[in-house]
Amino acid sequence: MSDMMQRARDLDAADAIAHFRHRFDLPEGVIYLDGNSLGPLPKASRERLHRVIDAEWGEGLIRSWNELPGGGGDWIAMPQRVGAKISPLVGAKPHEVIACDSVSVNLAKLIGAALSLNPGRNVVLSEPGNFPTDLYMIQGQPQVEQRLAGRDEMIEALDESVALLLLTHVHYKTGEMFDMERLTKAAHDVGAIVLWDLSHSGGAVPVDLNGANADLAVGCGYKYLNGGPGAPAYAFVAERHHGDFSQPLTGWFGHAQPFAFSDEYEPAEGVKRLLAGTPPVLAMAALESGVELIAEIGMEALVAKSRALSEFFRECVAGLDLDLVSPREPAQRGSQLSFRHENAYALSQALIARGVIGDFRDPDILRLGFAPAYLRFADIAEAARHLAEVLETGEWERDEYSTRAAVT
Ligand SMILES: *Cc1c(COP(=O)(O)O)cnc(C)c1O
């Protein structure tokens, strides 16, 4: 056994959260370094979905909105209940978070909310290279003027015309992390509202929305929270704004009394106002069990292991000719390592053929995610060995590894 594999075994033996791996259904022969894109299936989610389908939908039918067969949490309060379970993972209070819609749709709602909190201003400031949907949602608002500034110019670009600073906390491609507290304060100093996209943060890195005095946030349910493909996202509005904000998607579920069926819209209290339509119960149930599992493991242990895993990978590949684009300091990056390589796509395909699933981000990034809830140090040593072999043998140069699929 190699030295690194021996070390990996020792680290696994000392890992206090190692046993949580068995709570996931992971396919044989796969080392999954893509939990930052789609988290794997928690065993409890399979059971939960069967129960929702057979008992709650099949037997309970419409009665399950109010009361489940055999008791338990009803359907109608799912968005608030799941939001409350997410809240401690991101440093929020239970009534400040709600689970609903996609990140994209919640961005549209919260950009609108920010404008409602900051009337008279119309500039939304973000960074070039932010996750596309964040920029597209800014561009889709007819009354908004988009301003983009690089990381080094961000604070300078904040002035009294800025209504909203919209940033992704952990960059999806590079894993770079913004200093949430510092930027939030800089934005507040010029009277701007801040909206943090936590898609690559929630369940992976320490987030303290209230500690940073954040205003608004969104986050993804299907990445580190393991909520399943297309899982609902979550949205946060700080309590101090609950009385004042409005949002443009004024659907009936965000009404103060949806079942009064009145003609006039009257917003519900707090984050409930962010709801638009009927919650997708099956998807919400899967998200709930994913979130419960992450909450059970606990952020402190997850963060410590995430850092240890990625640092161990760095050690394992130290001798290889790889260009790390993620910050070297673990506390300054998300739970991922990204490497720049001219043939990153072919490299990622050659790794997938060996059962090491990471991903490629256009144009030249090989991105490896180190989700701490289920990965072993032994997986890390193995993945590093495969990467070394693929590079050394030039295996990635095979034709079959350069044809692109629709989803990369
Ligand atoms: C994954 C991700 C999203 C996803 O948006 P959806 O609308 O849920 O598809 C948005 N923003 C960032 C930064 C992401 O990483």
Side-chain angles (χ1 to χ4, degrees), residues 58-105:
E59 289 290 316
L61 290 169
I62 202 166
R63 295 169 289 192
S64 293
W65 282 110
N66 292 313
E67 191 184 352
L68 298 184
D74 56 42
W75 288 349
I76 196 73
M78 277 181 126
Q80 292 98 303
R81 187 170 78 233
V82 178
K85 287 178 182 175
I86 293 170
S87 66
L89 308 177
V90 294
K93 295 179 198 155
H95 62 282
E96 291 175 316
V97 180
I98 195 151
C100 56
D101 301 311
S102 60
V103 175
S104 303
V105 171

XYZ file of all heavy atoms in Angstrom, residues 58-105:
347
model
N -51.212 8.687 -1.973
C -52.095 7.583 -2.348
C -53.294 7.443 -1.433
O -54.434 7.334 -1.891
N -53.037 7.449 -0.117
C -54.116 7.245 0.856
C -54.745 8.557 1.307
O -55.950 8.704 1.354
C -53.563 6.554 2.123
C -53.177 5.111 1.953
C -54.391 4.234 1.752
O -55.390 4.433 2.489
O -54.349 3.380 0.856
N -53.862 9.484 1.659
C -54.347 10.718 2.284
C -55.033 11.648 1.298
O -55.932 12.398 1.659
N -54.582 11.569 0.032
C -55.109 12.484 -0.992
C -55.108 13.932 -0.495
O -54.183 14.340 0.188
C -56.505 12.012 -1.431
C -56.477 10.699 -2.259
C -57.870 10.127 -2.435
C -55.817 10.939 -3.612
N -56.126 14.673 -0.795
C -56.099 16.113 -0.507
C -56.067 16.396 0.988
O -55.610 17.460 1.426
C -57.291 16.828 -1.198
C -56.980 18.324 -1.358
C -58.598 16.565 -0.448
C -57.921 19.020 -2.311
N -56.476 15.415 1.787
C -56.451 15.598 3.253
C -55.040 15.852 3.767
O -54.832 16.459 4.812
C -57.020 14.356 3.953
C -58.494 14.121 3.655
C -58.939 12.758 4.135
N -58.374 11.680 3.317
C -58.772 10.402 3.355
N -59.704 10.038 4.217
N -58.214 9.494 2.573
N -54.010 15.373 3.023
C -52.644 15.492 3.511
C -52.139 16.931 3.546
O -51.133 17.219 4.191
C -51.696 14.643 2.650
O -51.978 13.270 2.832
N -52.814 17.835 2.872
C -52.389 19.235 3.008
C -52.474 19.669 4.469
O -51.628 20.420 4.952
C -53.251 20.162 2.143
C -52.855 20.107 0.696
C -53.574 19.570 -0.324
C -51.634 20.593 0.114
N -52.867 19.687 -1.502
C -51.686 20.315 -1.269
C -50.494 21.243 0.625
C -50.651 20.652 -2.149
C -49.470 21.579 -0.247
C -49.546 21.291 -1.610
N -53.488 19.203 5.165
C -53.682 19.620 6.560
C -53.224 18.597 7.576
O -52.814 18.947 8.669
C -55.161 19.910 6.825
C -55.617 21.137 6.083
O -54.948 22.174 6.104
N -56.734 21.024 5.388
N -53.323 17.329 7.218
C -53.078 16.288 8.216
C -52.631 15.029 7.492
O -53.252 14.619 6.513
C -54.394 16.021 8.960
C -54.226 15.165 10.166
C -55.603 14.877 10.798
O -56.612 15.465 10.370
O -55.631 14.047 11.709
N -51.558 14.410 7.984
C -51.044 13.226 7.312
C -51.619 11.964 7.934
O -51.863 11.921 9.143
C -49.525 13.184 7.415
C -48.791 14.346 6.756
C -47.289 14.114 6.844
C -49.212 14.506 5.303
N -51.784 10.914 7.113
C -52.196 9.632 7.688
C -51.109 9.191 8.675
O -49.934 9.167 8.314
C -52.222 8.687 6.482
C -52.044 9.523 5.259
C -51.493 10.839 5.676
N -51.461 8.905 9.888
C -50.476 8.499 10.886
C -49.750 9.672 11.535
O -48.791 9.482 12.277
N -50.155 10.901 11.236
C -49.557 12.072 11.880
C -48.279 12.523 11.205
O -47.914 12.034 10.147
N -47.591 13.473 11.825
C -46.368 14.015 11.230
C -46.660 15.347 10.573
O -47.797 15.810 10.564
N -45.588 15.950 10.006
C -45.736 17.298 9.458
C -46.606 17.314 8.216
O -46.412 16.528 7.306
N -47.560 18.210 8.180
C -48.468 18.286 7.032
C -47.763 18.911 5.822
O -46.639 19.359 5.896
C -49.716 19.084 7.424
C -49.344 20.459 7.950
O -48.453 21.097 7.362
O -49.917 20.891 8.961
N -48.456 18.923 4.697
C -47.857 19.469 3.478
C -47.853 20.993 3.442
O -46.935 21.598 2.916
C -48.668 19.000 2.251
C -48.510 17.555 1.908
C -47.593 16.669 2.410
C -49.301 16.836 0.957
N -47.763 15.441 1.828
C -48.811 15.513 0.926
C -50.371 17.171 0.130
C -49.353 14.530 0.094
C -50.913 16.201 -0.699
C -50.401 14.885 -0.713
N -48.896 21.602 3.975
C -49.080 23.028 3.718
C -47.943 23.868 4.294
O -47.561 24.881 3.724
C -50.473 23.534 4.216
C -50.810 24.893 3.601
C -50.572 23.593 5.716
C -51.167 24.844 2.141
N -47.396 23.418 5.424
C -46.352 24.216 6.072
C -44.942 23.814 5.645
O -43.960 24.270 6.237
C -46.499 24.114 7.593
N -44.842 22.959 4.623
C -43.510 22.466 4.243
C -42.498 23.565 3.923
O -41.355 23.491 4.364
C -43.614 21.523 3.052
C -43.972 20.112 3.448
S -44.042 19.086 1.966
C -42.916 17.795 2.427
N -42.852 24.578 3.146
C -41.840 25.595 2.812
C -41.241 26.261 4.053
O -40.024 26.449 4.146
C -42.615 26.599 1.952
C -43.725 25.785 1.347
C -44.125 24.815 2.431
N -42.108 26.575 5.033
C -41.600 27.199 6.260
C -40.830 26.190 7.104
O -39.809 26.509 7.693
C -42.749 27.752 7.119
C -43.472 28.923 6.503
C -44.752 28.488 5.810
O -44.748 27.648 4.928
N -45.857 29.070 6.223
N -41.354 24.964 7.172
C -40.716 23.954 8.031
C -39.323 23.607 7.510
O -38.360 23.536 8.268
C -41.607 22.707 8.059
C -41.164 21.659 9.039
C -42.218 20.583 9.196
N -42.221 19.649 8.087
C -43.300 19.325 7.366
N -44.478 19.862 7.640
N -43.210 18.466 6.379
N -39.216 23.405 6.189
C -37.910 23.067 5.628
C -36.975 24.284 5.729
O -35.790 24.151 6.046
C -38.051 22.572 4.167
C -36.693 22.269 3.565
C -38.948 21.336 4.128
N -37.519 25.463 5.510
C -36.716 26.687 5.665
C -36.148 26.785 7.075
O -34.976 27.092 7.275
N -36.991 26.482 8.068
C -36.534 26.556 9.466
C -35.419 25.551 9.723
O -34.478 25.822 10.475
C -37.708 26.303 10.400
N -35.492 24.375 9.074
C -34.435 23.371 9.269
C -33.136 23.791 8.589
O -32.051 23.394 9.011
C -34.906 22.015 8.738
C -35.954 21.384 9.642
C -36.479 20.065 9.128
C -37.565 19.548 10.095
N -38.211 18.335 9.614
N -33.233 24.575 7.519
C -32.032 25.067 6.833
C -31.399 26.222 7.618
O -30.180 26.400 7.606
C -32.390 25.525 5.392
C -32.806 24.314 4.545
C -31.225 26.273 4.725
C -33.400 24.660 3.183
N -32.225 26.973 8.341
C -31.753 28.228 8.939
C -30.481 28.112 9.795
O -29.576 28.930 9.640
C -32.876 28.922 9.716
O -33.263 28.168 10.837
N -30.357 27.096 10.678
C -29.125 27.061 11.486
C -27.871 26.781 10.649
O -26.758 27.079 11.079
C -29.378 25.923 12.489
C -30.481 25.114 11.922
C -31.297 26.033 11.063
N -28.043 26.213 9.454
C -26.877 25.914 8.614
C -26.287 27.186 8.017
O -25.146 27.182 7.549
C -27.264 24.952 7.471
C -27.991 23.661 7.856
C -28.369 22.861 6.618
C -27.118 22.817 8.780
N -27.079 28.264 7.995
C -26.613 29.505 7.361
C -26.658 30.699 8.319
O -26.584 31.852 7.889
C -27.419 29.813 6.070
C -27.144 28.752 5.007
C -28.920 29.917 6.334
N -26.775 30.428 9.600
C -26.725 31.513 10.587
C -27.942 32.417 10.556
O -27.832 33.630 10.746
N -29.117 31.817 10.309
C -30.350 32.612 10.255
C -31.314 32.133 11.325
O -31.122 31.071 11.921
C -30.998 32.461 8.879
N -32.361 32.929 11.582
C -33.407 32.482 12.499
C -34.421 31.657 11.706
O -34.599 31.880 10.504
C -34.105 33.702 13.112
C -33.185 34.530 13.989
C -33.935 35.726 14.540
C -32.963 36.779 15.044
N -33.542 38.126 15.042
N -35.119 30.745 12.399
C -36.029 29.835 11.685
C -37.054 30.556 10.802
O -37.355 30.105 9.706
C -36.724 29.069 12.815
C -35.768 29.142 13.960
C -35.024 30.438 13.824
N -37.566 31.690 11.267
C -38.620 32.359 10.486
C -38.052 33.302 9.424
O -38.787 34.060 8.814
C -39.562 33.117 11.429
C -38.863 34.198 12.186
N -38.070 33.936 13.279
C -38.800 35.524 11.977
C -37.561 35.078 13.715
N -37.979 36.049 12.941
N -36.737 33.262 9.226
C -36.136 34.118 8.186
C -35.871 33.360 6.878
O -35.415 33.959 5.907
C -34.806 34.705 8.687
C -34.984 35.732 9.801
C -33.652 36.226 10.367
O -32.749 35.389 10.601
O -33.502 37.443 10.572
N -36.097 32.047 6.869
C -35.748 31.237 5.693
C -36.981 30.464 5.238
O -37.737 29.943 6.060
C -34.610 30.244 6.028
C -34.252 29.403 4.803
C -33.375 30.990 6.530
N -37.147 30.382 3.924
C -38.253 29.601 3.367
C -37.737 28.810 2.173
O -36.854 29.282 1.444
C -39.447 30.524 3.011
C -40.709 29.701 2.777
C -39.135 31.451 1.846
C -41.989 30.425 3.106
N -38.238 27.591 2.005
C -37.805 26.748 0.886
C -38.861 26.824 -0.210
O -40.044 26.541 0.045
C -37.617 25.304 1.355
N -38.443 27.197 -1.405
C -39.399 27.312 -2.514
C -38.669 27.549 -3.837
O -37.545 28.044 -3.848
C -40.366 28.478 -2.283
S -39.578 30.068 -2.027
N -39.324 27.194 -4.907
C -38.877 27.533 -6.264
C -37.397 27.209 -6.494
O -36.765 26.532 -5.707
C -39.201 29.006 -6.560
C -40.697 29.285 -6.443
O -41.472 28.518 -7.029
O -41.089 30.226 -5.727
N -36.861 27.703 -7.612
C -35.441 27.479 -7.907
C -34.648 28.690 -7.423
O -35.222 29.732 -7.079
C -35.255 27.316 -9.419
O -35.706 28.482 -10.069
N -33.338 28.562 -7.410
C -32.495 29.722 -7.077
C -32.823 30.862 -8.038
O -32.994 32.016 -7.626
C -30.997 29.368 -7.165
C -30.132 30.608 -6.950
C -30.635 28.293 -6.144
N -32.937 30.529 -9.322
C -33.191 31.568 -10.329
C -34.453 32.368 -10.013
O -34.438 33.604 -10.007
C -33.329 30.935 -11.715
O -32.174 30.201 -12.042
N -35.543 31.652 -9.743
C -36.811 32.337 -9.474
C -36.702 33.157 -8.184
O -37.185 34.289 -8.101
C -37.974 31.320 -9.422
C -39.259 31.971 -8.935
C -38.180 30.694 -10.804
